Amino acid sequence: MNEKVILNAENIRQLDWGAINGCEAASLLEGLHYQHHARQLNYGEFLLQMPISSDANPYHGFGGSPFKNQPGNFEAIFTRPLVWWGSSYGHLTELSGADPDWLYCSVRQGDPVLVFVTIHFEAPEWDEYPFGRVPANNHAVLLDGVDTHQVHVSDPIDGQYWLSKATFEQIYNARRMAIQINK
């Protein structure tokens, strides 16, 4: 199936809210709003409800502050705590490890997908932390469109745009971390 699909999810600009590290929450809220969940919450209110990890481990919650960089912390939240938190607002499905075609199928069925990529889709710049190896240029966006050769994303830093599937897949496949946001 190669038809062009665009869900037209909203775009939340994290920097407009002073959240220099708030891409995961912005992308999640974009998808929840698209599915008519958590509509009563704006991004600022949503950020204040995000679980913060007491040990700065993004596998346990947000590792630091979305509003500032803290030396030694990896300011991010990964899929498991995001699913746990986001499921109190809507139905989420962990898709980590999924082939990109699964993500495209999800979008074609009307369900946007939060994907972990890198800022500006640049090559990952790997760092080591006690919890594992992660890209210093970690980023999350909402995948909300697909056609034969391109995908569309709602990016909390760079706005909404189309990019080639080849570029998307190269960066996504570095980690294959994703969450489907269901109706």
Side-chain angles (χ1 to χ4, degrees), residues 5-7 29 39 51 53 67 69 82 89 119 129 132 140 142-143 154 157 183:
V5 173
I6 179 100
L7 303 180
L29 190 59
R39 304 280 290 172
S53 170
F67 300 104
N69 290 322
L82 264 178
Y89 302 99
I119 296 170
Y129 285 85
L142 189 72
L143 180 67
S154 182
I157 292 176
K183 294 173 189 62

mmCIF file of all heavy atoms in Angstrom, residues 5-7 29 39 51 53 67 69 82 89 119 129 132 140 142-143 154 157 183:
data_model
loop_
_atom_site.group_PDB
_atom_site.id
_atom_site.type_symbol
_atom_site.label_atom_id
_atom_site.label_comp_id
_atom_site.label_asym_id
_atom_site.label_seq_id
_atom_site.Cartn_x
_atom_site.Cartn_y
_atom_site.Cartn_z
ATOM 1 N N VAL A 5 -0.479 9.088 3.341
ATOM 2 C CA VAL A 5 -1.305 9.245 4.534
ATOM 3 C C VAL A 5 -0.651 10.306 5.398
ATOM 4 O O VAL A 5 0.547 10.253 5.663
ATOM 5 C CB VAL A 5 -1.397 7.912 5.319
ATOM 6 C CG1 VAL A 5 -2.115 8.124 6.639
ATOM 7 C CG2 VAL A 5 -2.073 6.843 4.502
ATOM 8 N N ILE A 6 -1.434 11.283 5.820
ATOM 9 C CA ILE A 6 -0.950 12.296 6.765
ATOM 10 C C ILE A 6 -2.038 12.497 7.815
ATOM 11 O O ILE A 6 -3.176 12.774 7.488
ATOM 12 C CB ILE A 6 -0.564 13.626 6.081
ATOM 13 C CG1 ILE A 6 -0.089 14.656 7.108
ATOM 14 C CG2 ILE A 6 -1.657 14.204 5.262
ATOM 15 C CD1 ILE A 6 1.364 14.792 7.208
ATOM 16 N N LEU A 7 -1.680 12.267 9.073
ATOM 17 C CA LEU A 7 -2.659 12.371 10.153
ATOM 18 C C LEU A 7 -2.854 13.807 10.627
ATOM 19 O O LEU A 7 -3.847 14.102 11.276
ATOM 20 C CB LEU A 7 -2.231 11.481 11.322
ATOM 21 C CG LEU A 7 -2.037 9.993 10.992
ATOM 22 C CD1 LEU A 7 -1.603 9.230 12.244
ATOM 23 C CD2 LEU A 7 -3.266 9.390 10.364
ATOM 24 N N LEU A 29 2.267 13.911 24.000
ATOM 25 C CA LEU A 29 1.046 14.709 24.100
ATOM 26 C C LEU A 29 0.468 15.019 22.720
ATOM 27 O O LEU A 29 -0.751 15.033 22.546
ATOM 28 C CB LEU A 29 1.302 15.996 24.890
ATOM 29 C CG LEU A 29 0.047 16.788 25.269
ATOM 30 C CD1 LEU A 29 -0.911 15.954 26.118
ATOM 31 C CD2 LEU A 29 0.429 18.069 25.995
ATOM 32 N N ARG A 39 -6.987 16.046 26.331
ATOM 33 C CA ARG A 39 -7.219 17.327 25.655
ATOM 34 C C ARG A 39 -7.298 18.487 26.653
ATOM 35 O O ARG A 39 -7.083 19.637 26.276
ATOM 36 C CB ARG A 39 -8.506 17.285 24.820
ATOM 37 C CG ARG A 39 -8.572 16.177 23.788
ATOM 38 C CD ARG A 39 -7.841 16.411 22.536
ATOM 39 N NE ARG A 39 -8.451 17.436 21.712
ATOM 40 C CZ ARG A 39 -7.872 17.907 20.633
ATOM 41 N NH1 ARG A 39 -6.708 17.461 20.254
ATOM 42 N NH2 ARG A 39 -8.451 18.841 19.909
ATOM 43 N N PRO A 51 6.839 11.513 35.253
ATOM 44 C CA PRO A 51 7.593 10.891 36.345
ATOM 45 C C PRO A 51 9.087 11.166 36.216
ATOM 46 O O PRO A 51 9.675 10.995 35.151
ATOM 47 C CB PRO A 51 7.293 9.397 36.174
ATOM 48 C CG PRO A 51 6.911 9.238 34.744
ATOM 49 C CD PRO A 51 6.278 10.537 34.327
ATOM 50 N N SER A 53 12.888 10.270 37.470
ATOM 51 C CA SER A 53 13.643 9.160 38.039
ATOM 52 C C SER A 53 14.518 9.663 39.189
ATOM 53 O O SER A 53 15.302 10.593 39.020
ATOM 54 C CB SER A 53 14.532 8.534 36.957
ATOM 55 O OG SER A 53 15.433 7.631 37.518
ATOM 56 N N PHE A 67 13.750 21.145 31.939
ATOM 57 C CA PHE A 67 13.972 22.587 31.803
ATOM 58 C C PHE A 67 15.440 23.011 31.868
ATOM 59 O O PHE A 67 15.748 24.164 31.605
ATOM 60 C CB PHE A 67 13.181 23.335 32.874
ATOM 61 C CG PHE A 67 11.701 23.082 32.775
ATOM 62 C CD1 PHE A 67 11.078 22.238 33.668
ATOM 63 C CD2 PHE A 67 10.952 23.656 31.765
ATOM 64 C CE1 PHE A 67 9.718 21.983 33.578
ATOM 65 C CE2 PHE A 67 9.588 23.411 31.659
ATOM 66 C CZ PHE A 67 8.973 22.572 32.554
ATOM 67 N N ASN A 69 19.849 21.446 31.787
ATOM 68 C CA ASN A 69 20.828 20.362 31.741
ATOM 69 C C ASN A 69 21.501 20.268 33.095
ATOM 70 O O ASN A 69 21.890 21.286 33.674
ATOM 71 C CB ASN A 69 21.870 20.627 30.654
ATOM 72 C CG ASN A 69 21.290 20.493 29.272
ATOM 73 O OD1 ASN A 69 20.468 19.618 29.011
ATOM 74 N ND2 ASN A 69 21.707 21.349 28.366
ATOM 75 N N LEU A 82 7.539 5.812 29.828
ATOM 76 C CA LEU A 82 6.607 6.620 29.024
ATOM 77 C C LEU A 82 5.281 5.892 28.843
ATOM 78 O O LEU A 82 4.213 6.500 28.950
ATOM 79 C CB LEU A 82 7.204 6.927 27.646
ATOM 80 C CG LEU A 82 7.914 8.245 27.459
ATOM 81 C CD1 LEU A 82 8.483 8.349 26.052
ATOM 82 C CD2 LEU A 82 7.032 9.432 27.750
ATOM 83 N N TYR A 89 -3.544 8.220 30.417
ATOM 84 C CA TYR A 89 -4.283 9.183 29.586
ATOM 85 C C TYR A 89 -4.924 8.544 28.359
ATOM 86 O O TYR A 89 -5.890 9.061 27.824
ATOM 87 C CB TYR A 89 -3.353 10.301 29.102
ATOM 88 C CG TYR A 89 -2.686 11.038 30.215
ATOM 89 C CD1 TYR A 89 -1.383 10.742 30.582
ATOM 90 C CD2 TYR A 89 -3.363 12.033 30.922
ATOM 91 C CE1 TYR A 89 -0.758 11.418 31.609
ATOM 92 C CE2 TYR A 89 -2.748 12.711 31.960
ATOM 93 C CZ TYR A 89 -1.450 12.398 32.297
ATOM 94 O OH TYR A 89 -0.839 13.062 33.325
ATOM 95 N N ILE A 119 18.490 14.399 17.176
ATOM 96 C CA ILE A 119 18.191 15.781 16.808
ATOM 97 C C ILE A 119 18.599 16.016 15.362
ATOM 98 O O ILE A 119 19.706 15.650 14.960
ATOM 99 C CB ILE A 119 18.912 16.764 17.759
ATOM 100 C CG1 ILE A 119 18.380 16.588 19.180
ATOM 101 C CG2 ILE A 119 18.741 18.206 17.295
ATOM 102 C CD1 ILE A 119 19.174 17.336 20.237
ATOM 103 N N TYR A 129 26.741 5.677 29.981
ATOM 104 C CA TYR A 129 26.210 6.001 31.305
ATOM 105 C C TYR A 129 26.132 4.709 32.104
ATOM 106 O O TYR A 129 26.207 3.621 31.524
ATOM 107 C CB TYR A 129 24.813 6.629 31.186
ATOM 108 C CG TYR A 129 24.833 8.062 30.708
ATOM 109 C CD1 TYR A 129 24.882 8.360 29.349
ATOM 110 C CD2 TYR A 129 24.823 9.110 31.622
ATOM 111 C CE1 TYR A 129 24.915 9.683 28.908
ATOM 112 C CE2 TYR A 129 24.849 10.432 31.188
ATOM 113 C CZ TYR A 129 24.892 10.706 29.836
ATOM 114 O OH TYR A 129 24.923 12.010 29.415
ATOM 115 N N GLY A 132 23.777 2.328 30.481
ATOM 116 C CA GLY A 132 24.021 1.845 29.124
ATOM 117 C C GLY A 132 24.511 2.910 28.166
ATOM 118 O O GLY A 132 24.745 4.060 28.537
ATOM 119 N N ALA A 140 13.089 12.634 20.366
ATOM 120 C CA ALA A 140 11.855 11.907 20.078
ATOM 121 C C ALA A 140 10.958 12.795 19.235
ATOM 122 O O ALA A 140 10.891 14.012 19.453
ATOM 123 C CB ALA A 140 11.145 11.511 21.366
ATOM 124 N N LEU A 142 7.056 12.582 16.684
ATOM 125 C CA LEU A 142 5.835 11.830 16.402
ATOM 126 C C LEU A 142 5.763 11.551 14.915
ATOM 127 O O LEU A 142 5.745 12.482 14.098
ATOM 128 C CB LEU A 142 4.601 12.614 16.856
ATOM 129 C CG LEU A 142 3.295 11.815 16.789
ATOM 130 C CD1 LEU A 142 3.261 10.753 17.893
ATOM 131 C CD2 LEU A 142 2.092 12.744 16.901
ATOM 132 N N LEU A 143 5.740 10.289 14.548
ATOM 133 C CA LEU A 143 5.558 9.868 13.162
ATOM 134 C C LEU A 143 4.063 9.908 12.873
ATOM 135 O O LEU A 143 3.282 9.197 13.515
ATOM 136 C CB LEU A 143 6.112 8.451 12.984
ATOM 137 C CG LEU A 143 6.014 7.815 11.612
ATOM 138 C CD1 LEU A 143 6.902 8.555 10.610
ATOM 139 C CD2 LEU A 143 6.407 6.337 11.694
ATOM 140 N N SER A 154 6.111 15.153 13.286
ATOM 141 C CA SER A 154 5.872 16.353 14.063
ATOM 142 C C SER A 154 7.002 16.383 15.087
ATOM 143 O O SER A 154 7.036 15.578 16.021
ATOM 144 C CB SER A 154 4.499 16.308 14.731
ATOM 145 O OG SER A 154 4.265 17.497 15.438
ATOM 146 N N ILE A 157 11.238 20.175 18.079
ATOM 147 C CA ILE A 157 12.258 21.209 17.886
ATOM 148 C C ILE A 157 12.123 21.864 16.510
ATOM 149 O O ILE A 157 12.077 23.081 16.393
ATOM 150 C CB ILE A 157 13.689 20.643 18.071
ATOM 151 C CG1 ILE A 157 13.910 20.256 19.532
ATOM 152 C CG2 ILE A 157 14.743 21.664 17.638
ATOM 153 C CD1 ILE A 157 15.248 19.588 19.810
ATOM 154 N N LYS A 183 -6.206 4.712 19.361
ATOM 155 C CA LYS A 183 -7.515 5.371 19.512
ATOM 156 C C LYS A 183 -8.101 5.094 20.872
ATOM 157 O O LYS A 183 -7.809 4.168 21.517
ATOM 158 C CB LYS A 183 -8.491 4.909 18.420
ATOM 159 C CG LYS A 183 -8.054 5.357 17.043
ATOM 160 C CD LYS A 183 -8.956 4.734 15.993
ATOM 161 C CE LYS A 183 -8.439 4.968 14.614
ATOM 162 N NZ LYS A 183 -7.139 4.393 14.308
#
